[in-house]
Amino acid sequence: MTSAETEPVQVTRFEANVLRIIRFCVQQLPTAIGVQLLNGSHPHQECMSKAAIALVKDHLCKGVVLNLTRSGAWIRDRFWHGQKAVFGRLWERRKIEEIKLSFTEDSLEFLFWLNTNSLRAQTTSWYSEHFPQSNGDYLLVFLAYRAIRADHELRQVCSQLKLFQEHALVRLFYPTDFARIKAPPAPDYSLLFQPHLIFLLEVYQSELSQQWLKMEHQKSKTTDWEQYLRDSEIQQTTLGEFLAQVERTNRKDLCRFFSSMLSTIFGNGEMSLNFWTGNLQAGGPTRIADRLQTMRAGLGTISQVQQLQKWYFHARDTSFMDEDYEISRLWLNEWERFQLGTIAKTVQRLRQEMEPFQSNS
């Protein structure tokens, strides 16, 4: 290696900030530094040097891949692929061509937008109707939102932007971030099941489970009836739309995060309605019917186990000669693995315990 090859690359302040934003998105930069960077105002630069472009590519390729690996690509698990269930880590289950990330100039323009003006002062976002063109572009927007939302004020700003409202992976991870938005546009969850993106759902099963578990615990601590209803309804709508797409594509293994979340909640002993509605005692709607509506909505997420139970009955009745026999066997294993039969009975009991209040309305 020559001495010239060991010399550090010279970049402008604008270019250096773009590189730091990438590191922030892939969780290699402290949140406080990243938020400070996004709240600053930086002169716009029309283009970048070849050396800076090479560094952007290097940061994206290495940073995003490392982030995906840590997020769940390393986990050995069984997913449906082709016409059979395949066990292993992501790169063991799939060919490299199937999980290869591709970044276009849209990613660079997105990073330029983040770097040019204070994000807190944004009223409209940079948004291209054809964005994202590739899985890398799509993933970068998600990673950026995940990093940005750590700051409460920036989360509120970004939840108002169409770019994030229509992003299916953002909405699946953080539905309650958009609960206060009046009629937010519905994301197209079918996009996540396209060949170039579907592996992301496999990677993020564990983190999705943790996030939905966190939302249920946060909801159980909510004292404001209006907020409780908004959060509950958008969770129920989001999960319902996603499960409908799971059913259409017959990829029931991709709702494992929900099964895992249910197993964790109900694996901690006997559950009562108090867990979900115990903090909704003071104040609230004056009409009993409205109070019941809110309380029922709180059980909306866990009640989706009924949809899983329908799949179980179908899989149980599937014969060896049926076309979906193998995927049915996989779902039966999931049903037993997470003890969903017991959970379904418990959820039914909780729903029935709420019914006696109906007679007083």
Side-chain angles (χ1 to χ4, degrees):
M1 182 177 292
T2 65
S3 58
E5 292 174 319
T6 61
E7 293 180 358
V9 176
Q10 297 294 319
V11 296
T12 65
R13 180 179 294 274
F14 181 89
E15 293 167 343
N17 285 340
V18 168
L19 296 173
R20 294 171 73 197
I21 289 174
I22 295 173
R23 293 181 59 207
F24 173 59
C25 292
V26 298
Q27 299 176 312
Q28 294 179 352
L29 195 71
T31 298
I33 296 178
V35 169
Q36 183 181 17
L37 184 63
L38 294 177
N39 280 328
S41 182
H42 313 287
H44 181 65
Q45 185 172 311
E46 293 296 334
C47 60
M48 299 179 73
S49 66
K50 290 183 178 180
I53 291 292
L55 287 175
V56 167
K57 292 180 179 179
D58 183 73
H59 277 52
L60 283 175
C61 293
K62 294 179 180 178
V64 172
V65 169
L66 180 59
N67 188 274
L68 279 177
T69 302
R70 290 173 172 172
S71 293
W74 67 274
I75 298 175
R76 292 182 181 273
D77 213 333
R78 193 176 305 278
F79 288 95
W80 190 254
H81 186 47
Q83 297 299 317
K84 61 181 179 179
V86 181
F87 181 81
R89 296 188 173 96
L90 177 66
W91 55 86
E92 296 170 338
R93 299 191 305 265
R94 291 179 172 269
K95 297 178 181 178
I96 296 300
E97 293 76 15
E98 296 173 329
I99 59 176
K100 183 179 180 181
L101 292 173
S102 174
F103 297 93
T104 73
E105 61 183 12
D106 279 336
S107 285
L108 192 60
E109 291 181 11
F110 174 63
L111 292 168
F112 273 30
W113 171 71
L114 288 175
N115 188 34
T116 299
N117 300 302
S118 171
L119 189 57
R120 200 183 299 271
Q122 294 283 355
T123 55
T124 58
S125 69
W126 165 84
Y127 186 84
S128 173
E129 291 298 333
H130 63 274
F131 184 84
Q133 286 189 8
S134 71
N135 54 8
D137 298 336
Y138 192 87
L139 180 57
L140 179 61
V141 174
F142 167 72
L143 294 176
Y145 182 83
R146 183 172 68 173
I148 290 169
R149 72 179 299 276
D151 181 86
H152 179 70
E153 290 187 25
L154 290 184
R155 182 194 312 173
Q156 291 183 315
V157 170
C158 288
S159 66
Q160 301 286 336
L161 302 180
K162 183 180 179 182
L163 173 64
F164 301 114
Q165 290 177 355
E166 294 187 348
H167 197 288
L169 194 57
V170 169
R171 292 288 294 275
L172 181 61
F173 257 90
Y174 310 110
T176 54
D177 285 6
F178 304 87
R180 293 182 178 273
I181 309 300
K182 186 177 181 179
D188 182 8
Y189 291 105
S190 66
L191 181 62
L192 294 177
F193 292 80
Q194 297 300 311
H196 69 301
L197 286 175
I198 195 168
F199 72 91
L200 295 178
L201 289 176
E202 297 180 9
V203 168
Y204 285 123
Q205 288 297 308
S206 178
E207 289 194 1
L208 276 168
S209 178
Q210 295 172 21
Q211 180 59 29
W212 277 79
L213 181 64
K214 181 180 179 181
M215 284 190 289
E216 284 299 289
H217 280 284
Q218 288 176 335
K219 184 170 62 179
S220 70
K221 299 175 182 178
T222 303
T223 58
D224 183 87
W225 286 74
E226 185 178 352
Q227 179 186 340
Y228 186 91
L229 179 60
R230 283 198 304 263
D231 289 348
S232 298
E233 288 181 337
I234 199 166
Q235 280 182 262
Q236 183 175 358
T237 299
T238 299
L239 187 58
E241 292 174 350
F242 180 78
L243 292 181
Q245 190 60 39
V246 165
E247 184 172 31
R248 282 191 287 269
T249 57
N250 206 15
R251 283 300 306 270
K252 299 178 181 65
D253 53 319
L254 296 180
C255 72
R256 184 173 296 150
F257 72 91
F258 178 50
S259 301
S260 177
M261 182 270 283
L262 289 173
S263 180
T264 301
I265 288 180
F266 290 95
N268 294 325
E270 188 74 12
M271 297 298 293
S272 67
L273 285 175
N274 189 64
F275 174 80
W276 283 273
T277 61
N279 288 316
L280 292 177
Q281 299 304 314
T286 56
R287 295 178 66 245
I288 294 179
D290 293 335
R291 295 168 71 92
L292 280 171
Q293 178 189 359
T294 301
M295 295 170 71
R296 291 194 188 101
L299 297 181
T301 298
I302 62 171
S303 294
Q304 298 281 359
V305 72
Q306 293 178 323
Q307 179 62 51
L308 307 191
Q309 192 171 41
K310 291 179 182 178
W311 298 345
Y312 164 73
F313 290 143
H314 172 78
R316 187 189 59 183
D317 297 335
T318 300
S319 71
F320 179 75
M321 299 300 294
D322 291 327
E323 184 178 351
D324 59 347
Y325 175 78
E326 290 297 333
I327 187 65
S328 294
R329 295 304 97 184
L330 178 61
W331 177 245
L332 290 176
N333 289 334
E334 297 278 293
W335 183 264
E336 296 297 331
R337 172 183 177 183
F338 295 106
Q339 299 183 327
L340 296 176
T342 301
I343 292 172
K345 292 178 181 178
T346 303
V347 172
Q348 182 64 21
R349 173 180 61 80
L350 293 173
R351 289 165 59 90
Q352 290 174 347
E353 286 179 5
M354 198 174 289
E355 293 310 308
F357 295 104
Q358 257 186 340
S359 61
N360 297 327
S361 60

